[in-house]
Amino acid sequence: MLESNPANETTPTKIGNVLHPVTDVPSAVEFYREAFGLAPRFVDGDRYAALDAGGTVLALAGPEEDLTGGTPAASFKVADVKATLGALVEAGGKVLREPEQGPHEIRAVAQDPWGNTIIVYGPR
C-alpha cells in the first residue's frame, strides 16, 4: 500500500544518496574508484564528492560537510524539508539538527524511532 508523504502525494520519496563521512575526500574518491569502479559525478574540492554507484549516489562528505558527526546515513531528497520533518516527527522520529542552508541545498538531520540517522534535504 502506498502511503502519502509530504514531498509527493502519489509516489514514495527516493533516497537521494547514501552519505559516508570521510576525513580525506580526494583519497576516498580514489579508493572507491579503484576498489569498486565508481565514477565521480560531482566533486567539490575537499568538501564533498558524489559517486555513481549504479543508480545510487555514494556521497563522500569531508569534515566541513559532515552533518552527522561521522555516522553514515541515508539522505532523502524532498520538495519541502520542513513539511517532511513535521511528518517524520509525527511518525515517531526526531529532529537532531534543524534545517539549515548548505552550499547547494537546505538540509537537516533526523533520526528514526530506532536511532538510525537520516538526512533530509531539498531545494533552497
Side-chain angles (χ1 to χ4, degrees):
M1 181 173 144
L2 182 64
E3 298 291 328
S4 67
N5 65 66
N8 184 321
E9 291 297 321
T10 60
T11 59
T13 300
K14 292 174 65 176
I15 291 178
N17 65 61
V18 176
L19 179 103
H20 278 213
V22 298
T23 57
D24 183 338
V25 171
S27 293
V29 168
E30 188 63 18
F31 169 80
Y32 283 101
R33 187 191 62 74
E34 288 181 12
F36 299 104
L38 305 186
R41 293 176 62 187
F42 174 79
V43 178
D44 187 3
D46 294 334
R47 297 171 58 95
Y48 178 87
L51 306 180
D52 183 355
T56 300
V57 173
L58 176 61
L60 303 173
E64 191 175 346
E65 285 296 309
D66 177 10
L67 302 175
T68 66
T71 302
S75 299
F76 291 89
K77 185 174 185 178
V78 301
D80 186 330
V81 172
K82 287 184 180 182
T84 300
L85 291 175
L88 180 142
V89 169
E90 190 172 311
K94 64 181 176 179
V95 176
L96 300 178
R97 190 167 168 172
E98 293 293 333
E100 62 187 44
Q101 180 67 51
H104 305 286
E105 74 284 313
I106 295 173
R107 63 224 183 149
V109 180
Q111 198 172 60
D112 71 16
W114 301 273
N116 297 301
T117 302
I118 301 164
I119 296 171
V120 179
Y121 71 103
R124 296 179 198 208

